[in-house]
């Protein structure tokens, strides 16, 4: 794709345009994005232009109010265009020969709309168990994987096994685990808040009963039939994936035990089309104890919501490692060490190529929160991970990419 002849306007520049000029500019943006992503061009309606003008001036995706649009096709076009602007992808398209996002997929159309009846699920910060963030507790491949992954670290040994029938959970199945952990963390936050108020709240239950729609929305996925089928298969793999941690230090927090990513699950109801509708998930003791009964800080860290939009499992693995090791500063890993921690069946050279591709993609389409850089060391390539400084949001901005506060639980 060649360089575009349209400039990406700032909010101030856009506000100085006449109504006719604003509409023409937005239509040209839509056409340029369609060309870049090899999609069919669509003439924006008056309603679409009105909502996009408001969005462009404020950069708040909530201003689009896509759920109120009757024309779902137009809503989908607006969602793709607005998210390209919001994530800084469109500016790259207009000002360079860099293609649209290679690391992140676009979020669902109604992604910014709050589910008022389940705020504790959809709006809870995304949490991950810190004890599993040193490695990939899942397969990096979507293909069925049986057998064992073993990680020998300095202070412990971690073994991940999957059943012969379902195989082990993959990086995308793990989204459901994050939903469960985040729900429990949010319930514990509410418990502590009510206790400070002098109330007499009960501890969160070990049984979690979400609908499939609630899980999919939390994981920023489309609400379609195929997603429901994948969700049920993910629950099967999560239940059959067992992890064993053996500590080498007697004072370590991690205990020597074997546990599954979810204790068990039960489908409580199905739709008329036999799709999973509501499920019961039993939270494992190790997760429950780490969040509810931990005397000090809970053993979880908050993740950026854009984690769910990362396309590649290698990117998800690196982001989780960055969140644990780099935190608010930086960390450095030999690529050979990353290869070991990933548990991948790929050869080292194949894995190293994927890391190089990730770093190259991240130069124009950054990983959430962190910058990546490769250098040559005496024993091979080294990946440098550094926390990116957050820009100060302007008045009227909704929380978005680069503005999500990473707060340790």
């Amino acid at each position: 794709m060649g360089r575009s002849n349209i400039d990406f306007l700032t909010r101030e520049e856009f506000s100085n345009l006449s109504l006719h000029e604003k509409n023409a500019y937005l239509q040209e943006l839509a056409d340029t994005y369609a060309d870049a992503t090899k999609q069919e061009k669509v003439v924006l309606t008056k309603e679409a232009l009105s909502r996009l003008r408001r969005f462009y001036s404020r950069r708040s995706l909530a201003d689009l109010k896509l759920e109120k649009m009757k024309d779902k096709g137009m809503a989908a076009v607006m969602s793709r265009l607005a998210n390209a602007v919001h994530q800084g992808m469109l500016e790259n398209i207009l000002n360079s020969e860099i293609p649209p996002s290679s690391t992140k997929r676009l979020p669902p159309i109604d992604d910014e709309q709050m589910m008022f009846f389940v705020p504790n699920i959809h709006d809870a910060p995304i949490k991950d168990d810190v004890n599993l963030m040193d490695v990939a507790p899942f397969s990096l491949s979507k293909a069925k994987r049986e057998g064992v992954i073993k990680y020998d670290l300095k202070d412990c040994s971690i073994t991940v096994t999957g059943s012969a029938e379902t195989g082990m959970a993959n990086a995308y199945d793990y989204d459901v685990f994050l939903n469960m952990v985040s729900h429990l963390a949010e319930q514990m936050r509410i418990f502590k808040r009510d206790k400070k108020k002098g109330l007499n709240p009960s501890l969160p239950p070990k049984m979690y009963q979400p609908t499939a729609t609630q899980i999919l929305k939390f994981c920023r996925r489309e609400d379609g039939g195929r997603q429901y089928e994948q969700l049920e298969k993910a629950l099967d793999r999560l239940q059959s994936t067992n992890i064993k941690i053996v500590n080498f230090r007697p004072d370590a927090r991690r205990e020597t035990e074997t546990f599954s990513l979810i204790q068990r699950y039960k489908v409580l109801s199905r739709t008329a089309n036999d799709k999973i509708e509501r499920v019961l998930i039993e939270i494992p003791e190790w997760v429950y104890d780490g969040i509810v009964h931990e005397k000090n800080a809970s053993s979880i860290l908050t993740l950026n919501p854009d984690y769910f939009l990362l396309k590649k499992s290698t990117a998800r693995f690196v982001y989780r490692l960055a969140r644990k090791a780099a935190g608010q500063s930086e960390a450095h890993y030999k690529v050979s060490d990353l290869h070991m921690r990933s548990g991948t069946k790929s050869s080292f050279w194949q894995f190293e190529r994927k890391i190089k591709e990730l770093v190259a993609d991240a130069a124009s389409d950054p990983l959430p929160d962190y910058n990546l850089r490769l250098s040559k060391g005496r024993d091979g390539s080294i990946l440098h991970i550094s926390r990116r400084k957050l820009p100060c949001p302007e008045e009227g901005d909704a929380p978005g990419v680069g503005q999500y506060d990473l707060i340790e639980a």
Side-chain angles (χ1 to χ4, degrees):
M1 183 190 71
R3 184 180 295 273
S4 171
N5 58 4
I6 176 175
D7 294 325
F8 188 83
L9 300 181
T10 65
R11 290 182 231 193
E12 183 178 358
E13 290 169 337
F14 182 77
S15 65
N16 291 331
L17 299 178
S18 67
L19 178 62
H20 174 74
E21 290 172 331
K22 287 178 181 177
N23 289 344
Y25 174 73
L26 291 171
Q27 183 64 63
E28 195 170 1
L29 281 185
D31 291 344
T32 302
Y33 185 64
D35 285 339
T37 54
K38 298 181 180 179
Q39 298 179 46
E40 184 179 355
K41 293 182 181 180
V42 175
V43 177
L44 299 174
T45 62
K46 288 184 178 180
E47 179 186 19
L49 287 168
S50 175
R51 294 178 187 225
L52 284 171
R53 287 196 304 270
R54 189 182 310 114
F55 159 76
Y56 201 97
S57 297
R58 292 167 51 87
R59 304 294 166 87
S60 172
L61 292 171
D63 284 337
L64 294 174
K65 298 181 180 179
L66 298 177
E67 80 287 355
K68 294 184 178 181
M69 292 190 68
K70 293 181 180 179
D71 187 341
K72 298 304 179 185
M74 184 62 64
V77 172
M78 291 169 60
S79 175
R80 290 192 292 268
L81 179 62
N83 276 289
V85 174
H86 199 64
Q87 297 182 23
M89 293 157 42
L90 192 54
E91 189 169 6
N92 287 332
I93 292 173
L94 299 180
N95 298 322
S96 72
E97 298 183 0
I98 299 169
S101 181
S102 51
T103 60
K104 296 186 288 292
R105 62 175 172 80
L106 291 177
I109 290 175
D110 62 347
D111 188 60
E112 289 293 319
Q113 306 308 318
M114 180 185 295
M115 294 177 66
F116 291 101
F117 54 95
V118 285
N120 60 326
I121 296 175
H122 176 55
D123 299 317
I126 303 165
K127 305 288 185 178
D128 198 358
D129 191 276
V130 71
N131 292 331
L132 295 180
M133 293 176 74
D134 288 327
V135 297
F138 42 65
S139 170
L140 291 190
S141 172
K142 283 188 176 181
K144 180 181 176 182
R145 178 165 181 178
E146 303 173 25
V148 177
I149 301 176
K150 187 172 182 180
Y151 303 105
D152 292 318
L153 306 179
K154 291 182 178 180
D155 61 340
C156 69
S157 172
I158 301 176
T159 305
V160 184
T161 59
S163 73
E165 183 177 355
T166 65
M168 67 177 60
N170 61 47
Y172 309 96
D173 300 335
Y174 195 74
D175 291 356
V176 182
F177 173 83
L178 293 176
N179 171 253
M180 177 189 70
V181 171
S182 302
H183 165 75
L184 181 60
E186 174 67 2
Q187 291 300 303
M188 194 59 193
R189 184 192 67 80
I190 294 173
F191 169 82
K192 292 178 180 178
R193 180 201 65 190
D194 291 347
K195 195 170 184 180
K196 284 184 179 180
K197 290 181 178 179
L199 304 176
N200 189 28
S202 299
L203 285 172
K206 293 182 180 179
M207 298 297 183
Y208 173 39
Q209 298 187 37
T211 65
T213 299
Q214 290 166 355
I215 295 176
L216 293 175
K217 188 166 182 66
F218 183 90
C219 299
R220 305 184 76 179
R221 298 184 188 179
E222 298 289 349
D223 194 1
R226 185 166 172 267
Q227 296 286 358
Y228 286 86
E229 295 175 5
Q230 292 177 340
L231 175 58
E232 189 162 3
K233 292 177 181 178
L235 288 166
D236 285 334
R237 289 188 288 266
L238 287 165
Q239 185 178 13
S240 64
T241 300
N242 291 302
I243 298 173
K244 182 178 181 180
I245 299 179
V246 179
N247 286 292
F248 303 146
R249 295 182 298 142
D251 60 339
R253 166 180 284 179
R254 297 165 176 154
E255 297 178 356
T256 302
E257 61 176 334
T258 300
F259 48 81
S260 56
L261 289 175
I262 61 173
Q263 193 68 25
R264 68 182 180 93
Y265 83 92
K266 178 180 180 181
V267 177
L268 299 178
S269 61
R270 291 183 179 273
T271 66
N273 297 325
D274 200 36
K275 303 299 183 185
I276 188 170
E277 185 176 49
R278 181 177 288 275
V279 297
L280 180 148
I281 300 175
E282 183 176 353
I283 302 172
E285 286 288 341
W286 67 278
V287 173
Y288 191 85
D289 289 344
I291 297 174
V292 174
H293 295 311
E294 185 62 47
K295 293 181 180 179
N296 300 313
S298 298
S299 58
I300 51 177
L301 291 178
T302 304
L303 306 184
N304 189 302
D306 284 353
Y307 169 85
F308 287 134
L309 301 181
L310 293 174
K311 296 178 184 178
K312 299 177 181 179
S313 56
T314 305
R316 289 172 171 236
F317 160 67
V318 169
Y319 175 81
R320 293 178 67 252
L321 200 65
R323 183 66 188 100
K324 167 72 183 296
Q328 301 296 323
S329 55
E330 58 184 29
H332 314 277
Y333 285 97
K334 293 180 181 179
V335 174
S336 57
D337 188 25
L338 291 177
H339 181 247
M340 180 276 293
R341 290 173 183 267
S342 73
T344 181
K345 282 188 171 182
S346 299
S347 68
F348 170 75
W349 305 112
Q350 290 173 319
F351 178 79
E352 185 177 38
R353 187 183 73 246
K354 290 179 181 179
I355 292 295
K356 288 179 179 178
E357 290 174 353
L358 177 61
V359 172
D361 291 341
S364 57
D365 185 17
L367 214 62
D369 308 313
Y370 296 96
N371 292 326
L372 305 178
R373 179 175 62 87
L374 278 171
S375 69
K376 292 183 178 180
R378 288 185 299 177
D379 301 320
S381 300
I382 298 174
L383 180 66
H384 303 268
I385 307 169
S386 58
R387 180 72 165 86
R388 190 162 54 250
K389 292 183 179 180
L390 296 178
C392 296
E394 297 184 34
E395 186 178 356
D397 274 345
V401 177
Q403 298 177 19
Y404 194 79
D405 193 17
L406 294 183
I407 304 173
E408 301 195 7

